[in-house]
């Protein structure tokens, strides 16, 4: 049993493993959600960052305006 446990691959968690309950807050780069893990039923706060806005802001601040 111990050997079988060591040979198992760790489970990867994805966004599809959660149920979105309620948006807690909204900021400049994303939102924070109250979520529940589907398998374990544990409650978490998940921050989702809007990567397109972050890339755009970094792109804009990366240049000097003369």
């Amino acid at each position: 049993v111990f050997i079988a446990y060591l040979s198992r691959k760790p489970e990867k968690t994805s966004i599809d493993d959660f149920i979105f309950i309620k948006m807690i807050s909204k900021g400049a780069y994303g939102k924070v959600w109250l979520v529940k893990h589907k398998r374990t039923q544990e409650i978490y706060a998940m921050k989702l960052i809007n990567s397109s806005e972050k890339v755009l802001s970094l792109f804009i601040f990366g240049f000097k305006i003369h």
Side-chain angles (χ1 to χ4, degrees):
V1 175
F2 185 68
I3 294 171
Y5 175 75
L6 290 177
S7 64
R8 273 193 276 164
K9 292 182 180 179
E11 295 180 25
K12 292 187 178 182
T13 302
S14 75
I15 197 166
D16 296 326
D17 296 328
F18 296 90
I19 299 168
F20 287 78
I21 299 170
K22 179 181 178 181
M23 185 171 58
I24 298 172
S25 69
K26 184 176 179 182
Y29 292 109
K31 300 173 183 173
V32 178
W33 288 86
L34 183 67
V35 296
K36 181 193 247 183
H37 194 271
K38 290 177 182 176
R39 186 175 50 83
T40 64
Q41 302 298 309
E42 292 179 316
I43 303 292
Y44 296 96
M46 179 185 291
K47 184 172 188 176
L48 298 177
I49 298 172
N50 187 342
S51 61
S52 62
E53 286 182 15
K54 187 174 183 183
V55 170
L56 179 60
S57 67
L58 292 175
F59 181 76
I60 291 170
F61 291 134
F63 293 93
K64 290 185 179 179
I65 300 173
H66 296 284

